[in-house]
Amino acid sequence: MGRMAKERADFLVIANRLPVDRVVHPDGSISWRKSPGGLVTALEPVMKLRGGAWIGWHGASDEDLSEFEHDGLRLVPVPLSESEVEEYYEGFSNATLWPLYHDVVVTPEYHREWWDAYVRVNLRFATKAAELAAENAVVWVQDYQLQLVPQMLREMRPDLRIGFFLHIPFPPKELFQQLPWRRQILEGLLGADLVGFQMPGGAQNFTQLVRQRVGHRTARDTVFLPDGRVVLARAYPISIDAAGFEQLSRTPEVIARAQEIRDSLGNPRHVMIGIDRLDYTKGLPQRLRAFGELISDGTIDVDDAVFVQVATPSRERVMQYRKLRDDINQLVGRINGDVGRIGQQPIQYLHASFPREEMAAMYRAADVMVVTPLRDGMNLVAKEYVATRWDDRGALVLSEFAGAAAELKQAFKVNPHDINGMKSVMLEAMRSNAVDLRKRMRALRKQVMENDIDKWADCFLTDLASVGESGQSGSDD
Ligand code: G6P
């Protein structure tokens, strides 16, 4: 490790989290397990090929770990103190930026101490990257927790090629302007050569703000800085390891487990499923209310349908997340109490996280997948469901407010704020005939299988490599 620690990397990923979770074994020993996300799957080959490293927080406070290797990946932990976890991670990242960028679905809080911690922690990540990066290395910074890193890093290491990708929505100026530190955030991002967004609308919001708030000249996706440098702002809708997911869902174990799940639910006519992080952006209360009403008003029989809602624990020390947890417990209890019967609880609620295999089995067990966020950068669960439907069966109910809606055109679209509308679309999805469902699923599958995470990473990295080359996008036409 001593030798490796001195080696500089030609390709660096910087994200708030490392792509591994710590596992503590019964005997007290620890090991690391690769986290389920698609990002690491996509970047792993690039990292291995180019001698890459991943810089990120390992998830615990007040603990300084040295870099280590896992599965051939070089991982460089960044320490956070307990107060930094509170102020940078839970505070500024998840109680200021997260709600602000998701259309203020809850009210963002603005605290100057949180901002100070955000600056301090961003500087720590940038400093680490500056130490590690080889001459002219490519550095790819991820997500809203690290928006100041591009500029900080450029000041320390102007030789680097810096990309940034925002995994969540970038809000319209009317909302972004609330942020007391709006100009610093814009300038932080402008340190990158390429700023990637999920949707073209996010890229447009950004260039418009840069023009109006920072005063730089822009033309379509290009920002012209006074020193002659250009920054590109473009959309790269993220995806999943689609083939990997399909493959997993075709294994005999997953197929058998899917049947077992249906059996244990009593083999109802309709199995509906929702799988989300327990987050107030996901529209959980709205969808559960819509489903509950379909039963209570007699449209569907309680013996005919079960809704399995998996809510993965998330950010549990942040007040709004605790409140949501209580609200959902209460709502599920009320609905099951009102419309359930002995041995027949229409909502099966699981507050837990599951391994990929179990997720794949749940997708395979579901006739209807219900994804109803009030706002979502992309929503990968919707794409995962589609990837597992290799027999072209099943229906996807999808919110118009998820980034994925732009690509998944044949889904049953809903406005999650409109409970009656959601009820009728859920019903339509349940009652559609097999021919219509197959036609839709085939089109959805074509989209997801052809646009996977590898393609996403390739597009971004290819564009990043060519920013500023003559003939590219620089003209004012
Ligand atoms: C979203 C964000 C990620 C984040 C993930 C899990 O997908 O875009 O940056 O890592 O949620 O949230 P957490 O706060 O647990 O990292």
Side-chain angles (χ1 to χ4, degrees), residues 17 89 94 98 143-145 167-168 277 315:
R17 283 187 188 273
Y89 170 69
N94 289 314
W98 181 268
D143 228 356
Y144 62 102
Q145 303 93 341
H167 292 250
I168 68 174
R277 262 186 322 100
R315 305 174 190 164

Side-chain angles (χ1 to χ4, degrees), residues 393-446:
R393 295 171 66 181
L396 174 65
V397 172
L398 179 61
S399 165
E400 294 163 16
F401 299 98
E407 292 169 272
L408 303 182
K409 295 199 173 65
Q410 296 76 11
F412 292 87
K413 297 287 170 57
V414 289
N415 169 3
H417 299 279
D418 172 10
I419 304 285
N420 283 347
M422 245 192 320
K423 284 168 69 179
S424 56
V425 175
M426 279 160 79
L427 203 60
E428 192 192 337
M430 279 188 257
R431 291 184 173 167
S432 278
N433 64 59
V435 176
D436 175 49
L437 291 180
R438 184 160 298 136
K439 208 168 120 208
R440 287 174 183 258
M441 189 52 77
R442 228 177 249 152
L444 292 172
R445 286 183 51 74
K446 187 167 179 339

Side-chain angles (χ1 to χ4, degrees), residues 169-174 186 197 200-210:
F170 191 82
K173 73 171 194 303
E174 288 75 9
L186 295 171
F197 299 87
Q204 283 154 18
N205 290 342
F206 175 71
T207 47
Q208 185 187 28
L209 274 154
V210 163

Side-chain angles (χ1 to χ4, degrees), residues 5-76:
K6 292 193 195 73
E7 269 171 32
R8 304 253 221 138
D10 282 313
F11 180 69
L12 273 180
V13 176
I14 317 180
N16 177 56
R17 283 187 188 273
L18 285 176
V20 288
D21 297 313
R22 192 181 347 220
V23 193
V24 184
H25 300 282
D27 66 356
S29 64
I30 70 151
S31 63
W32 299 88
R33 187 176 41 211
K34 207 183 329 149
S35 25
L39 188 61
V40 58
T41 318
L43 298 182
E44 203 177 318
V46 195
M47 289 189 45
K48 288 184 176 163
L49 195 73
R50 294 164 75 162
W54 187 305
I55 299 176
W57 175 47
H58 54 282
S61 60
D62 289 324
E63 186 185 36
D64 202 346
L65 299 179
S66 5
E67 70 167 80
F68 59 99
E69 214 183 282
H70 179 82
D71 249 356
L73 292 179
R74 183 178 174 191
L75 304 177
V76 184

Side-chain angles (χ1 to χ4, degrees), residues 161-451:
R161 173 104 342 195
I162 304 171
F164 179 92
F165 184 76
L166 184 70
H167 292 250
I168 68 174
F170 191 82
K173 73 171 194 303
E174 288 75 9
L175 298 178
F176 187 80
Q177 279 175 165
Q178 289 185 12
L179 191 65
W181 308 277
R182 56 202 182 189
R183 180 160 178 150
Q184 287 96 314
I185 294 282
L186 295 171
E187 285 177 341
L189 292 170
L190 286 170
D193 296 289
L194 174 60
V195 186
F197 299 87
Q198 299 280 22
M199 309 298 294
Q204 283 154 18
N205 290 342
F206 175 71
T207 47
Q208 185 187 28
L209 274 154
V210 163
R211 195 163 56 243
Q212 294 178 352
R213 289 270 148 215
V214 194
H216 294 323
R217 193 163 68 84
T218 69
R220 284 187 293 173
D221 60 6
T222 309
V223 179
F224 301 92
L225 302 188
D227 64 1
R229 197 164 66 84
V230 299
V231 178
L232 289 188
R234 285 192 182 159
Y236 301 86
I238 200 169
S239 192
I240 56 163
D241 171 17
F245 234 90
E246 165 162 353
Q247 216 172 34
L248 179 66
S249 71
R250 282 179 181 275
T251 58
E253 293 78 17
V254 167
I255 293 171
R257 177 66 190 141
Q259 187 55 51
E260 204 174 278
I261 292 173
R262 286 194 74 99
D263 292 346
S264 62
L265 295 170
N267 276 311
R269 192 174 302 168
H270 310 285
V271 173
M272 311 186 68
I273 196 162
I275 303 185
D276 309 78
R277 262 186 322 100
L278 185 51
D279 195 294
Y280 50 75
T281 58
K282 302 292 184 185
L284 297 172
Q286 288 82 350
R287 100 178 51 141
L288 295 177
R289 275 181 58 203
F291 177 72
E293 282 187 21
L294 283 172
I295 297 178
S296 64
D297 64 18
T299 313
I300 50 176
D301 193 282
V302 70
D303 293 321
D304 282 345
V306 172
F307 199 117
V308 178
Q309 178 62 57
V310 173
T312 311
S314 183
R315 305 174 190 164
E316 291 191 286
R317 301 200 309 186
V318 179
M319 191 261 290
Q320 294 284 1
Y321 288 79
R322 291 189 187 186
K323 184 173 174 304
L324 176 71
R325 186 175 173 190
D326 291 344
D327 290 350
I328 299 284
N329 282 339
Q330 207 177 28
L331 183 65
V332 170
R334 185 170 65 69
I335 297 172
N336 279 340
D338 286 350
V339 300
R341 294 207 207 113
I342 286 182
Q344 204 55 263
Q345 300 266 293
I347 300 176
Q348 303 272 321
Y349 175 57
L350 303 166
H351 180 244
S353 53
F354 294 95
R356 258 163 64 91
E357 294 74 21
E358 183 71 0
M359 302 266 281
M362 289 193 269
Y363 293 138
R364 288 287 315 158
D367 304 297
V368 183
M369 171 96 212
V370 187
V371 183
T372 59
L374 306 174
R375 174 56 75 197
D376 208 331
M378 177 52 58
N379 197 290
L380 297 179
V381 163
K383 292 187 175 181
E384 287 178 359
Y385 177 71
V386 170
T388 66
R389 308 309 300 196
W390 38 264
D391 48 3
D392 292 336
R393 295 171 66 181
L396 174 65
V397 172
L398 179 61
S399 165
E400 294 163 16
F401 299 98
E407 292 169 272
L408 303 182
K409 295 199 173 65
Q410 296 76 11
F412 292 87
K413 297 287 170 57
V414 289
N415 169 3
H417 299 279
D418 172 10
I419 304 285
N420 283 347
M422 245 192 320
K423 284 168 69 179
S424 56
V425 175
M426 279 160 79
L427 203 60
E428 192 192 337
M430 279 188 257
R431 291 184 173 167
S432 278
N433 64 59
V435 176
D436 175 49
L437 291 180
R438 184 160 298 136
K439 208 168 120 208
R440 287 174 183 258
M441 189 52 77
R442 228 177 249 152
L444 292 172
R445 286 183 51 74
K446 187 167 179 339
Q447 167 65 35
V448 172
M449 302 314 288
E450 284 177 5
N451 296 283

